[in-house]
Amino acid sequence: MASEPANPQITPPESATALRRGLPRVPGGEPWPPAGVAPAGAVPSASATVEVAQAVASAPANPQITPPESGAALRRGLPRVPGGEPWPPEGLATAPVTDVATSVGVEPALRQNVTHVSDAGTSAPAPMTDVALSAGVEPELRQNVAHVPDAGVPAPAAPRAPLPFTRSVWPGRAATHRPAPRPEPARIGPFTKAQWAGAVVVGGLGLLFAAAMAVLFVRFLLSLDAMQDFLATYPGEYHLPDAAPVGIPAWLGWQHFFNAFLMVLIIRSGLTIRREKRPAVFWAPKNNPKGKTSLTIWFHQALDIFWLVNGVVFVVLLFVTGQWMRIVPTSWEVFPNALSAALQYVSLDWPTENGWVNYNSLQQVAYFSTVFLAAPLAAISGYRMSGMWPKGNAKLSAAYPIEWARKIHFPVMLYFVVFIVIHVALVLATGALRNLNHMYAAQGSVDPTAYADNWTGFWMFVLSLVAIAAAWVAARPLVLAPIARLFGTVSGR
């Protein structure tokens, strides 16, 4: 054993296996590759393994290991140049070599010279059986067994060298930083606060422009001769009956204040009911615990009762004292005079105001519509929607559906809002001190210029505004609940 060369030539045994055939390479041709046998790597027998191991142990240090050739036909592919021959050239392919050096116990110093050679005609390297490892070769011999890549497979490319310079291009903050999305702004109805502000500004400018155009048009219209004759015939008011009283009594001023006080709170509670989705406090009558409703609805209906009582007293006193002739039209001339007064208001050449003696026809029509038309509609529709409506009467409910009441009640409330705004604006714009003395201090004169320097009515008006503002702020469950307990049961659910 010691006299044998250090690096023997190790050749794996050949074995014949049936060649797997695939699809033809040309239409209508034979399956590829041709029928035959192909070499396959195999593990040698135990006796052969021991003999090879003994030969390797006494072989020289650096043997030249060459794989045997087999008679398998070489698989050829597409040409490497247009119009050339298929590659690789026609010839024989070498059979794979089994790594017998590992299986027979080759010394580590010899393993680096043992190569693996696969079939050069295949697209992937043939498997190699590591026979030396299975035979228990000493670890010192394994370092000389080298694995040589198949001749038909290109060697892996060497790793690319690092860049010879430092990267100087900065991708920017946006490459690594993503700002958090802004939260969706809160909306009030369909628009945000900024959108509402813009709508108010744009709408206000549009209204100012439309108002300016209306003033110019009406002033041009009243400059015509026909319209001058119309104004002379219908100056904006007609004479009241001879029995009509002069002046505004004190009870009428107090009724006016109570009506304004209740109307403001009714409108506030009504708007709260429309946007209240889940009430926080409930109220139920003592005799009917199941008739539970929200505290806001109870407050709204309680105000309605006081408002109706005040209205009934007001109407009764109107007809008892004869004050009804001041707000109820007594002649058909009220309509052309109302049109004349409206044109004078729009032209900014306003008619002379003296409500102590007589309202102009436009005021009379507005007050009559408010007291005798809008107020009854609000009362009838509100009663249909309230808990006092007899729900057990099916015929009555069918004759007056609640949907009709809802379609009437809210537009009537909007009418009251518009009337209050216009009424207050005209009171302040057409002689504030004189008109406030008429309405709150019961002071006036046949002369429309009298009491111009008296501030009594003004300060009474200020006190009424303070009372209304205080009631507006106090209209909340903390204040209303103790009052509601006097008439029923208050609960949180």
Side-chain angles (χ1 to χ4, degrees):
M1 298 289 297
S3 60
E4 293 180 0
N7 297 320
Q9 302 292 332
I10 303 175
T11 58
E14 295 181 358
S15 61
T17 57
L19 183 65
R20 177 180 295 179
R21 304 178 69 188
L23 298 175
R25 302 192 65 178
V26 295
E30 292 293 329
W32 184 266
V37 295
V43 179
S45 62
S47 58
T49 300
V50 174
E51 293 177 358
V52 172
Q54 292 176 355
V56 170
S58 59
N62 297 314
Q64 299 295 327
I65 304 175
T66 58
E69 295 184 354
S70 64
L74 181 66
R75 176 181 293 179
R76 304 177 69 189
L78 297 175
R80 302 189 66 178
V81 294
E85 292 292 330
W87 184 266
E90 185 176 1
L92 298 178
T94 58
V97 178
T98 304
D99 192 356
V100 294
T102 306
S103 63
V104 297
V106 181
E107 294 296 329
L110 300 179
R111 293 184 187 173
Q112 60 185 358
N113 294 328
V114 180
T115 61
H116 285 204
V117 182
S118 63
D119 187 0
T122 60
S123 60
M128 302 292 294
T129 304
D130 198 348
V131 187
L133 291 177
S134 62
V137 180
E138 294 298 330
E140 293 80 8
L141 300 177
R142 295 179 186 175
Q143 62 183 1
N144 291 331
V145 180
H147 287 241
V148 180
D150 295 336
V153 179
R160 187 176 61 180
L163 296 174
F165 54 86
T166 304
R167 185 186 298 272
S168 60
V169 178
W170 184 55
R173 184 171 180 267
T176 57
H177 177 73
R178 293 294 183 272
R182 295 182 178 179
E184 185 70 18
R187 292 181 176 272
I188 303 175
F191 304 120
T192 63
K193 293 181 179 180
Q195 291 172 340
W196 276 114
V200 169
V201 172
V202 174
L205 294 176
L207 289 177
L208 288 177
F209 178 78
M213 294 297 101
V215 170
L216 294 176
F217 175 74
V218 172
R219 291 182 71 88
F220 166 75
L221 188 65
L222 295 180
S223 65
L224 302 177
D225 294 338
M227 295 305 299
Q228 290 292 328
D229 296 338
F230 175 80
L231 292 180
T233 306
Y234 302 102
E237 63 180 18
Y238 64 94
H239 294 290
L240 297 179
D242 296 337
V246 176
I248 299 175
W251 66 264
L252 190 57
W254 283 103
Q255 287 285 329
H256 182 272
F257 163 72
F258 287 139
N259 182 74
F261 179 85
L262 294 172
M263 280 298 301
V264 170
L265 295 181
I266 287 172
I267 293 172
R268 180 191 186 278
S269 58
L271 293 176
T272 304
I273 292 172
R274 289 183 63 87
R275 66 172 180 266
E276 189 178 47
K277 296 181 179 180
R278 180 176 296 178
V281 184
F282 295 88
W283 177 87
K286 294 181 179 180
N287 57 355
N288 184 18
K290 295 183 179 180
K292 185 179 295 186
T293 185
S294 71
L295 185 63
T296 308
I297 295 179
W298 171 85
F299 179 55
H300 185 76
Q301 294 179 0
L303 292 172
D304 290 340
I305 294 175
F306 282 109
W307 181 67
L308 289 174
V309 171
N310 182 72
V312 170
V313 173
F314 175 74
V315 172
V316 170
L317 291 175
L318 276 180
F319 284 96
V320 169
T321 61
Q323 290 287 334
W324 63 272
M325 287 181 283
R326 295 170 56 85
I327 64 173
V328 177
T330 57
S331 173
W332 291 107
E333 293 182 1
V334 66
F335 295 108
N337 279 289
L339 176 59
S340 174
L343 292 175
Q344 294 177 60
Y345 278 122
V346 175
S347 67
L348 300 182
D349 187 10
W350 294 351
T352 302
E353 294 288 341
N354 190 13
W356 186 260
V357 178
N358 187 13
Y359 295 125
N360 65 54
S361 295
L362 186 61
Q363 288 176 305
Q364 191 179 55
V365 170
Y367 296 155
F368 174 82
S369 301
T370 303
V371 175
F372 296 101
L373 295 179
L377 285 175
I380 295 173
S381 59
Y383 175 67
R384 177 62 182 89
M385 298 167 60
S386 69
M388 295 180 288
W389 178 264
K391 298 180 175 60
N393 194 330
K395 293 183 178 179
L396 188 60
S397 298
Y400 184 19
I402 192 173
E403 291 77 12
W404 292 7
R406 289 172 178 169
K407 292 179 179 179
I408 295 173
H409 200 69
F410 184 68
V412 171
M413 186 207 71
L414 295 179
Y415 167 80
F416 278 113
V417 172
V418 174
F419 172 80
I420 292 173
V421 171
I422 297 177
H423 177 62
V424 173
L426 290 177
V427 166
L428 298 178
T430 58
L433 294 181
R434 182 182 67 251
N435 292 331
L436 293 176
N437 279 330
H438 294 170
M439 296 167 58
Y440 285 92
Q443 297 179 0
S445 173
V446 177
D447 184 3
T449 62
Y451 300 97
D453 296 332
N454 190 344
W455 291 79
T456 304
F458 173 80
W459 292 116
M460 295 181 69
F461 172 68
V462 171
L463 290 177
S464 69
L465 292 181
V466 172
I468 294 174
W472 182 286
V473 175
R476 58 187 60 195
L478 182 63
V479 179
L480 298 178
I483 302 174
R485 288 192 181 96
L486 301 175
F487 306 94
T489 303
V490 178
S491 61
R493 53 180 297 177

